[in-house]
């Protein structure tokens, strides 16, 4: 038997054995999912490089039918844009002025749930967490998908400050995103006169404070901007994955909303997708 299985099987306490077997089974299922995702991605990449499925099958020692089966089954490779195995969607807590309780705003809850649903479509295990009332959050964890702007968290403000191209700023009119390459400013249509049903959001992969990896950051000038970013991910994650993979990047997203429900009806990229490794050179 494999070493880990043999170790678990030798546990005398039946409850400890049950716990260990359950935990190991969950880990093994995650490994199977990620291996299937990796296998499917490799076949797609080799085919995109010009190899036929027959050539891939011959080189890998598999049948052509098996290659086609792998190509069309299992978790989609672009799910790796969100993470591997297990991800945690983080939304901010807000104080309830009428009591001592805290709550998650309905708009944040909606955005978080849609991001969780998207992650589950890629067979990722999904957890949830919150930014504390004081803005505290441990960013030194794997698989974080954080929906929070700089106003709600000093830790997130520090993280956004590491973006080499896009900057959050605030003036008398409100918050804005600035492209330091072009000098262009991006503001919410809610501050226009007359107001427009249009908002602006940020999407990026930023370094963890400990330097051991990255996390995905999402924020809107208003909640509609965050919801628009998740809408973009839902509709176009394959293109984003193809352009940046797991590298660090950032982009400004514009969202046109319905006037009554504030649901996104159209999203657009307002800046190039800036790869941070290229921006730093």
């Amino acid at each position: 038997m494999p070493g880990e299985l043999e170790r678990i099987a030798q546990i005398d306490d039946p409850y400890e054995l049950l716990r260990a077997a359950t935990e190991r089974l969950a880990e093994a299922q995650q490994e199977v999912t990620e291996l299937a995702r990796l296998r499917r991605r490799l076949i797609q990449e080799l085919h995109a490089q010009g190899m036929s499925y027959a050539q891939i099958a011959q080189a890998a020692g598999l049948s052509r039918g098996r290659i086609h089966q792998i190509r069309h089954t299992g978790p989609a490779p672009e799910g790796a844009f969100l993470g591997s195995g297990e991800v945690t969607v983080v939304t901010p807590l807000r104080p309830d002025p009428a009591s001592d309780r805290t709550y998650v705003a309905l708009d944040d809850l909606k955005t978080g749930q849609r991001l969780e649903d998207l992650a589950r479509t890629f067979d990722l295990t999904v957890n949830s967490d919150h930014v504390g009332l004081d803005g505290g959050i441990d960013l030194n964890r794997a698989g974080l998908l954080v929906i929070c702007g700089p106003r709600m968290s000093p830790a997130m403000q520090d993280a956004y400050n590491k973006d080499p191209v896009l900057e959050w700023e605030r003036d008398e009119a409100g918050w804005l995103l600035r492209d330091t390459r072009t000098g262009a400013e991006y503001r919410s249509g809610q501050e226009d006169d007359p107001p427009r049903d249009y908002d602006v959001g940020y999407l990026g992969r930023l370094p963890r404070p400990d330097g051991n990896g990255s996390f995905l950051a999402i924020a809107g000038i208003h909640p509609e901007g965050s919801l628009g970013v998740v809408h973009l991910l839902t509709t176009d994650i394959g293109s984003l994955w193809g352009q940046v993979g797991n590298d660090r990047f950032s982009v400004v997203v514009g969202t046109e909303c319905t006037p009554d429900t504030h649901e996104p009806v159209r999203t657009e990229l307002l800046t190039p997708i800036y790869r941070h490794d290229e921006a730093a050179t």
Side-chain angles (χ1 to χ4, degrees):
M1 292 186 295
E4 186 66 7
L5 176 58
E6 185 176 33
R7 181 192 68 79
I8 293 173
Q10 291 177 350
I11 296 175
D12 293 329
D13 186 315
Y15 302 107
E16 177 65 18
L17 173 58
L18 179 60
R19 183 192 63 78
T22 301
E23 291 178 353
R24 179 57 191 142
L25 183 59
E27 293 171 356
Q29 288 172 337
Q30 285 187 356
E31 290 173 5
V32 169
T33 298
E34 292 308 315
L35 286 171
R37 193 189 317 278
L38 175 61
R39 187 175 59 173
R40 184 174 173 183
R41 177 171 65 84
L42 288 171
I43 290 174
Q44 289 184 356
E45 290 177 350
L46 290 170
H47 185 61
Q49 292 169 12
M51 293 184 68
S52 68
Y53 292 126
Q55 291 172 324
I56 297 171
Q58 182 178 12
L62 299 171
S63 69
R64 183 175 178 179
R66 183 62 175 142
I67 292 295
H68 274 283
Q69 181 185 36
I70 294 170
R71 169 66 181 83
H72 296 288
T73 59
E78 56 265 30
F81 183 87
L82 299 177
S84 173
E86 187 171 350
V87 298
T88 301
V89 175
V90 182
T91 51
L93 288 174
R94 301 175 187 266
D96 183 353
S99 68
D100 293 331
R101 299 180 179 178
T102 60
Y103 70 100
V104 178
L106 182 60
D107 291 325
D108 294 331
L109 182 64
K110 182 193 299 184
T111 303
Q113 287 179 338
R114 291 188 183 178
L115 187 56
E116 291 180 12
D117 291 342
L118 176 62
R120 290 190 180 98
T121 65
F122 296 112
D123 293 338
L124 294 167
T125 300
V126 181
N127 302 308
S128 62
D129 196 5
H130 302 292
V131 178
L133 289 179
D134 62 353
I137 176 177
D138 178 13
L139 295 173
N140 295 323
R141 294 176 283 169
L144 285 184
L145 312 176
V146 184
I147 304 169
C148 183
R151 180 178 69 86
M152 299 290 294
S153 169
M156 287 301 296
Q157 175 70 77
D158 290 343
Y160 286 120
N161 287 343
K162 293 181 172 61
D163 188 316
V165 183
L166 302 178
E167 292 182 350
W168 285 93
E169 295 183 10
R170 188 174 188 177
D171 59 19
E172 65 280 357
W175 285 91
L176 64 105
L177 279 161
R178 183 186 302 277
D179 183 334
T180 61
R181 285 282 182 86
T182 65
E185 297 179 353
Y186 300 96
R187 298 176 182 267
S188 172
Q190 296 183 34
E191 277 74 65
D192 290 351
D193 186 15
R196 294 185 298 134
D197 296 305
Y198 187 86
D199 201 32
V200 170
Y202 175 102
L203 171 64
R205 186 175 290 117
L206 300 172
R208 287 168 31 173
D210 64 3
N212 297 323
S214 306
F215 68 94
L216 202 68
I218 295 171
I221 292 180
H222 298 287
E224 292 86 347
S226 299
L227 193 59
V229 171
V230 174
H231 180 78
L232 175 74
L233 289 174
T234 302
T235 57
D236 210 22
I237 193 172
S239 175
L240 291 167
W241 164 250
Q243 294 181 71
V244 301
N246 292 124
D247 295 335
R248 295 170 186 167
F249 76 97
S250 56
V251 64
V252 178
V253 179
T255 301
E256 183 180 334
C257 315
T258 59
D260 48 354
T261 64
H262 306 292
E263 285 288 325
V265 294
R266 185 178 66 88
T267 59
E268 58 181 339
L269 299 184
L270 300 179
T271 67
I273 298 176
Y274 289 116
R275 295 174 63 106
H276 291 178
D277 55 348
E278 297 174 356
T281 59

